[in-house]
Amino acid sequence: MKKLIFALIILFFVFTTGYQIIKYRFSPKYSGELVLAGLDEETEVFYDDFGIPHIYAGSAEDAYRAMGYVHAQDRLFQMEMMRRVGTGTLAELLGEDLVEVDQFFRTLGIPKHSKWSAEEWEKNGSLEIKSAVNAYINGVNDFIEKGKLPLEYTLLGHTPRPYNIEDMHGIVGYMSFTFAMAMKTDPLITKMARELGSEYLEVLSVHTLPEHHVIPTHYPERDGKVLTDMHTESLQALLEKLPVPLLEGSNSWIIGPDKTESGEVLFLNDTHIGFAQPSVWYEAHLEYPGFSFYGNHLAGIPFGLVGHTRKHSFGLTMFENDDQDFFEEKLNPANPLETIYGEEFRPIQIREEQIPVKGQDPIKFEIRESVHGPIMNNVLPEIAKITSNPVASWWVYILEPSRALEATWKMARSKDIHEFENGIRLIHAPGLNVMYGDKAGNIAWWATAKLPIRPDHVNSKLFLDGSDPADEIQGWMPFEENPMSINPPSGFVASANNQPDTLSNGTFFPGYYYPGERWNRIAKTISARDDWNQQNIKDLQLEAINETHPLNALSMLEAVNPEAYEGFESALEQLKNWDGDHGLESIAPTLYYKWLYHTLHAMMVDELGEDWFSNFLETFLYIRSVSNLVQTESSPWWNNINTNNQESRSDILSAALKKSLEELKGQFGNNPEDWQWKKAVVLEHPHPLGAQKPLDKLFNVSAPPVMANEESVNKLAFKLNPDGIYSVRSGPAMRIILDFANVELSESVLPTGQSGNLFSPWYRDQAEMFANGEYRPQLMNESLIRNSSKKKVTFKPE
């Protein structure tokens, strides 16, 4: 026994010593002095209690050089993943399983576009902005050369190459792709239209329905009267291989002075992004003469996409406008390298690319482009199931070089709302709802994007005829006609990825918009009172209520045969009285989502098949159409085309309910009181290496159950499935609240932590806070920062 105890003690000390050696080898350096090449003056970085760097420098170049170093120290592997997606080089690092992902992004055109954007940047970029960007790049590369590389590189046997401006544009390109809803949706709708017919599509919400909620527009008078100073394998299988998350939606609302307790603007933003470890946003506070800014930064990007100064704040949500069309080409019968275009023939351009692959020779493949863009058949399997003709992707983003770096630089440095608008005009894609508030009392929302003018007859959700010039884009709307609301009479602006109202030119611009349930909850709640402050607004930002689901449930209950729920009357009574709240103790959502899945599956799989049905559940079409689908009595979807019977709505709903109750009984027990929502919800933030066991235990970050939901303000989204266990896949990537009555008391929280380094104390320290709806400060007060900081790095010139 003594020998065993002695052996265990020795083993414990060996393990502890080994861990400490590894920790020392890979831990970030948050205290002491570092020499930073190219620095002009000594620069200080104070870390607060949550690992946010507060950078004090003598110039922009010094600030961004230090920013590049500290950003890389905490997020280098995330930068690596982001740049490799955008440059089509994932397989070089992660192996042949990622070749198809690289082929997809190369065919789509992001790496080619990144190179073009980098070339134009070098030729035409502002010298002031270039110097800041180059300083940031040099700071990143200084860390790559001299710093402690994170553990992931050792596990992969890889040393990172230097970071460059083309990588940066690749990351911007990846961000612009993010939503990918056209590629998920347009093939599906085209299939339905061709194989099922219009009566099936009429039950769906291909376009915005009258009952959906639109964002009101309020256009400014351009003489300046309004802008015044005032004080007041499938594609889805391929995307699942991505080691970085997708931007999916967001909420933002800004309340004007007349509706706040302080008489100052109240600003809120929570971007909805796929959950991952590390989370998407990196917070940093920069101070140098003439500039004071606290922002949220993407990995590898020096300028904040969301942030605030002491005078103004800005945030974003996804616009979800339709900026991608698919053209089905017709080949010249005499020459397969030409397409028919009107009375002419147009050549297909071919280029060969090589994909480097870890551990083997590079793979060569061809990319073909028609007059409309790259031909996607080889990388979008859904297309081959619809047509054998070449289908080309026409996408706004790749039509001109990106000026996103210039835009974000100007947004942070705008002296007033006019300058800010001039900055966001430079964003041509992706479509963003940019939200703005300032100390002068202005509030604003702009949908910024380059909006194409399509012919009236074109349905942009269907494949277009590449041989017919009449289907072509006719031009571009001027920015002044984009959706916007500047200082509206309502006293607030809000966006939640829903349809903007009719534009000033009469256009109801098409897109992949959400039905507006989140927006409606926000708008109704804000309108109900005029004393909003930083504390009482939190209840709205954390709300998990959806008003539409209870209506669906009641409609479904009224149609079912009571025999379907015999013995489970108490569970059905809870569903009948459900108010749409997704509280962790609630029974109703556990039953509702299980029943909804089996209902939709029984309705649609016979027409679509399993793969297309699974794809349907990933699209905006599902979110927008579910109420119509389950409530329309005469829908053709109710009948099962594989049987000789004529199934009715009652038949399908009753059978789906009976199946759901039996499965829940087997899953959670006979007593419906034990079917609490918290037992069906799982939240884990996956690391890129966490897909390989046992690395998931090391790198992934688990969190307590959360109030998972579809389309509540605090959206914590999951995919419907037959198993009845719902993995929360996306949600707020931060929650920001700022009152201009005291900017230095603004608050936020991240889903996991500030650092992506496993050995950082800030790797997962916010995970429980986030799940529990807690906040922490965004510090800007220099005295408080200097006096409270326990860790400080001083960068010195060589």
Side-chain angles (χ1 to χ4, degrees), residues 217 219 319-325 394-397 399-400 424-425 427-433 445-455 473-484 499-505 507-513:
T217 55
Y219 289 87
F319 180 9
E320 315 292 20
N321 57 304
D322 190 345
D323 65 356
Q324 185 176 31
D325 291 336
W394 179 91
W395 184 29
V396 172
Y397 180 72
L399 298 182
E400 62 182 64
I424 66 171
R425 286 170 178 258
I427 301 172
H428 77 289
L432 298 173
N433 291 310
W445 152 65
W446 296 269
T448 180
K450 195 169 184 178
L451 300 182
I453 301 171
R454 295 180 170 96
I473 301 299
Q474 297 177 330
W476 304 93
M477 294 184 191
F479 180 86
E480 288 75 16
E481 293 178 358
N482 277 26
M484 64 182 71
Q499 170 87 54
D501 205 348
T502 305
L503 311 189
S504 61
N505 64 3
T507 301
F508 205 54
F509 196 82
Y512 303 91
Y513 307 110

Side-chain angles (χ1 to χ4, degrees), residues 413-653:
R413 288 159 181 79
S414 299
K415 299 297 189 293
D416 55 40
I417 192 171
H418 302 282
E419 287 190 12
F420 188 86
E421 183 183 84
N422 288 335
I424 66 171
R425 286 170 178 258
L426 301 177
I427 301 172
H428 77 289
L432 298 173
N433 291 310
V434 180
M435 314 299 290
Y436 173 91
D438 65 25
K439 184 69 175 175
N442 291 300
I443 61 174
W445 152 65
W446 296 269
T448 180
K450 195 169 184 178
L451 300 182
I453 301 171
R454 295 180 170 96
D456 291 339
H457 72 275
V458 161
N459 182 344
S460 62
K461 304 298 189 301
L462 299 175
F463 288 0
L464 306 180
D465 185 352
S467 68
D468 187 355
D471 281 4
E472 292 289 344
I473 301 299
Q474 297 177 330
W476 304 93
M477 294 184 191
F479 180 86
E480 288 75 16
E481 293 178 358
N482 277 26
M484 64 182 71
S485 182
I486 316 294
N487 293 325
S490 65
F492 71 92
V493 292
S495 71
N497 318 118
N498 51 317
Q499 170 87 54
D501 205 348
T502 305
L503 311 189
S504 61
N505 64 3
T507 301
F508 205 54
F509 196 82
Y512 303 91
Y513 307 110
Y514 286 83
E517 289 144 344
R518 284 180 282 128
W519 183 90
N520 188 47
R521 289 292 302 182
I522 293 167
K524 287 196 310 181
T525 306
I526 293 173
S527 299
R529 57 194 292 182
D530 298 327
D531 63 343
W532 290 108
N533 60 43
Q534 198 164 320
Q535 294 307 311
N536 61 29
I537 200 66
K538 289 178 180 177
D539 288 341
L540 177 57
Q541 195 171 46
L542 298 171
E543 183 184 89
I545 296 173
N546 181 290
E547 296 179 345
T548 301
H549 293 319
L551 300 178
N552 293 339
L554 284 175
S555 176
M556 294 161 71
L557 283 168
E558 290 168 357
V560 299
N561 185 336
E563 293 179 358
Y565 55 85
E566 188 175 350
F568 296 98
E569 287 82 1
S570 64
L572 272 294
E573 190 65 23
Q574 294 215 32
L575 187 57
K576 181 180 178 181
N577 295 320
W578 188 30
D579 65 356
D581 195 354
H582 291 70
L584 294 177
E585 302 298 326
S586 177
I587 309 302
T590 312
L591 174 55
Y592 172 73
Y593 288 114
K594 170 76 80 167
W595 187 13
L596 180 61
Y597 174 84
H598 285 310
T599 298
L600 295 175
H601 186 271
M603 291 175 70
M604 306 181 80
V605 158
D606 53 313
E607 288 93 356
L608 299 180
E610 293 287 354
D611 290 345
W612 284 103
F613 175 68
S614 180
N615 182 44
F616 168 75
L617 295 179
E618 297 281 353
T619 68
F620 88 106
L621 194 62
Y622 153 66
I623 295 291
R624 285 212 317 206
S625 303
V626 69
S627 293
N628 263 16
L629 277 168
V630 300
Q631 295 188 39
T632 303
E633 184 77 38
S634 59
S635 166
W637 291 103
W638 293 115
N639 182 49
N640 188 333
I641 63 175
N642 295 326
T643 71
N644 294 324
N645 300 323
Q646 181 71 33
E647 286 80 12
S648 68
R649 177 170 179 254
S650 179
D651 293 335
I652 297 298
L653 285 170

Side-chain angles (χ1 to χ4, degrees), residues 230-259:
M230 58 184 184
H231 182 72
T232 50
E233 312 287 280
S234 60
L235 173 63
Q236 185 57 34
L238 181 146
L239 295 179
E240 287 173 357
K241 293 183 179 180
L242 283 175
V244 286
L246 298 175
L247 279 71
E248 299 193 354
S250 302
N251 301 320
S252 185
W253 64 94
I254 309 173
I255 306 175
D258 292 341
K259 296 189 71 62

Side-chain angles (χ1 to χ4, degrees), residues 135-160:
Y136 174 88
I137 290 173
N138 290 335
V140 171
N141 288 331
D142 197 277
F143 175 78
I144 290 174
E145 181 182 353
K146 303 173 185 175
K148 297 179 180 179
L149 297 179
L151 175 62
E152 290 92 329
Y153 286 105
T154 298
L155 294 176
L156 291 171
H158 181 80
T159 301

Side-chain angles (χ1 to χ4, degrees), residues 16 71 102 104 134 139 155 185 256 285 294 305 314 393 423 521 564 590 632 639 682 691 764 783:
T16 303
H71 201 174
D102 288 343
F104 173 80
N134 289 336
L155 294 176
T185 307
H285 168 211
Y294 190 112
L305 276 71
F314 56 92
S393 162
R521 289 292 302 182
T590 312
T632 303
N639 182 49
V682 176
R764 64 182 83 225
S783 176

